[in-house]
Amino acid sequence: MTLTDQQPLGSPFSAATTCEDIVAGRDLSGRTAVVTGGYSGLGLETTRALTAAGARVIVPARRCDVARAALKEVTNCEVIPMDLADLDSVRTAAAHLSDRLDRLDLLMAVAGVMATPERRVGPGWEGQLTTNHFGHFTLACELYPLLAAADGARVVVNSSAGHTLTGIRWHDPHFHTGYDKWLAYGQAKTANALFAVHLDALGRGDGVRAYALHPGKIITGLQREMTLQAQIDRGWVDAHGNVVGDGFKTPSQGAATGLWAATSPLLDGRGGLYLEDCDVARVSAPGTPMDDGGVRAYAVDPDAAARLWDVSLAATGATPITR
């Protein structure tokens, strides 16, 4: 993947496309998908759309009772326990899946946290980087043999326009010198994008392709750590919590780009790309506003992606993927 590959492909879809539009007429029977966060917000929309198209969906969840209640009317779907912030839990879930499946066609990394208060997990790691990146990194590494066995698997990682806030803070990724919740979020979203770049580089020989994406601006449970007043101050909602800001998508529209990444034939033979509005995103110039779209060059840089991969492998002890 090079920066010249980050060019729109002329997709027939757009920012207004919904999940239903993406899967209309598509038969995913016989496909198995793992969708993290698949029981709320964009993940729930993703699970519904995949199962409606015939796929079998497995939803790892920290709160299994809540997940099962949310998915009680969704057929061909099951919930297993997993906490992305607890890597032992991630490994246990991956081992469980490896014992039961002979292949995995789709891994959709939808779950995430945003702008949380400072939290330390594991050996003192920053919580947003751990949940959003290390957890998904470990899950993908441990499930890689199943992905390779699918002969055409796709890994789809939800990043965000928040990646424009900062690249990887190589000097202090865990914010030991002072915590900033938005920079921590931005770093985690850059990590999500770089993860897809290097996973694709390692996996393409096995037919495993990876993509990162910005789903758009959507009010979902992702904002749960923010006060209502903070959301009002940002111009997102009114005093009653109703969306008032410009450019917001519905949850179905927000989940559409991930589903497009998972299923579009336009992406056959392509990978390591950052997507938005159901197409490949262009590279954005430094300093341009977050809401103008596009991806910063540092978030799709192969050298940075390889460096982050090595850092993540050393930190998590995940099973290496060999080419």
Side-chain angles (χ1 to χ4, degrees):
M1 204 285 295
T2 64
L3 291 182
T4 56
D5 296 317
Q6 281 291 156
Q7 299 288 341
L9 299 175
S11 163
F13 300 115
S14 69
T17 297
T18 66
C19 289
E20 293 75 18
D21 297 329
I22 296 292
V23 299
R26 196 170 292 282
D27 183 5
L28 299 180
S29 301
R31 306 266 188 99
T32 299
V34 168
V35 181
T36 70
Y39 61 97
S40 66
L42 305 187
L44 178 57
E45 296 290 340
T46 301
T47 298
R48 286 173 173 160
L50 289 173
T51 56
R56 171 192 183 190
V57 177
I58 300 166
V59 177
R62 182 170 54 85
R63 301 172 296 164
C64 289
D65 54 339
V66 174
R68 292 189 179 103
L71 295 165
K72 64 179 184 295
E73 295 179 4
V74 180
T75 58
N76 208 19
C77 172
E78 63 179 298
V79 175
I80 65 168
M82 189 184 79
D83 180 352
L84 282 167
D86 178 351
L87 298 193
D88 286 338
S89 166
V90 174
R91 282 186 275 266
T92 297
H96 174 72
L97 292 170
S98 298
D99 287 343
R100 298 178 51 211
L101 303 177
D102 57 8
R103 56 182 277 170
L104 180 62
D105 301 280
L106 294 172
L107 174 57
M108 310 283 287
V110 183
V113 294
M114 181 178 77
T116 62
E118 183 173 6
R119 292 190 183 120
R120 298 287 159 185
V121 296
W125 292 336
E126 190 279 312
Q128 294 190 74
L129 184 66
T130 303
T131 301
N132 294 345
H133 171 60
F134 283 161
H136 284 123
F137 173 87
T138 302
L139 183 64
C141 286
E142 300 307 321
L143 293 180
Y144 186 80
L146 294 179
L147 294 165
D151 189 25
R154 292 186 181 184
V155 178
V156 181
V157 187
N158 276 34
S159 179
S160 162
H163 82 272
T164 60
L165 295 169
T166 181
I168 302 299
R169 292 161 42 95
W170 302 109
H171 65 290
D172 184 23
H174 295 290
F175 289 82
H176 293 303
T177 56
Y179 182 70
D180 181 306
K181 66 182 181 180
W182 284 109
L183 287 181
Y185 176 66
Q187 175 181 245
K189 294 293 101 178
T190 293
N192 287 149
L194 291 172
F195 164 56
V197 170
H198 200 65
L199 176 58
D200 187 81
L202 292 175
R204 68 185 60 172
D206 292 322
V208 179
R209 306 309 300 255
Y211 314 88
L213 63 97
H214 171 46
K217 295 196 298 184
I218 314 102
I219 296 295
T220 66
L222 187 64
Q223 289 81 18
R224 60 185 170 272
E225 300 279 3
M226 296 179 67
T227 64
L228 176 61
Q229 189 59 51
Q231 296 181 57
I232 293 170
D233 292 345
R234 285 179 173 264
W236 294 351
V237 300
D238 62 20
H240 303 289
N242 300 311
V243 177
V244 295
D246 292 333
F248 277 87
K249 296 182 179 184
T250 66
S252 181
Q253 291 169 333
T257 299
L259 284 166
W260 182 77
T263 61
S264 176
L266 279 178
L267 292 172
D268 288 350
R270 304 173 190 269
L273 298 166
Y274 183 96
L275 316 174
E276 65 184 357
D277 295 339
C278 299
D279 207 336
V280 178
R282 56 181 172 74
V283 177
S284 60
T288 55
M290 180 187 302
D291 288 347
D292 283 3
V295 60
R296 295 290 199 261
Y298 61 70
V300 288
D301 177 70
D303 292 336
R307 182 179 179 185
L308 178 65
W309 190 277
D310 290 342
V311 168
S312 304
L313 205 57
T316 64
T319 302
I321 295 172
T322 56
R323 281 191 282 188

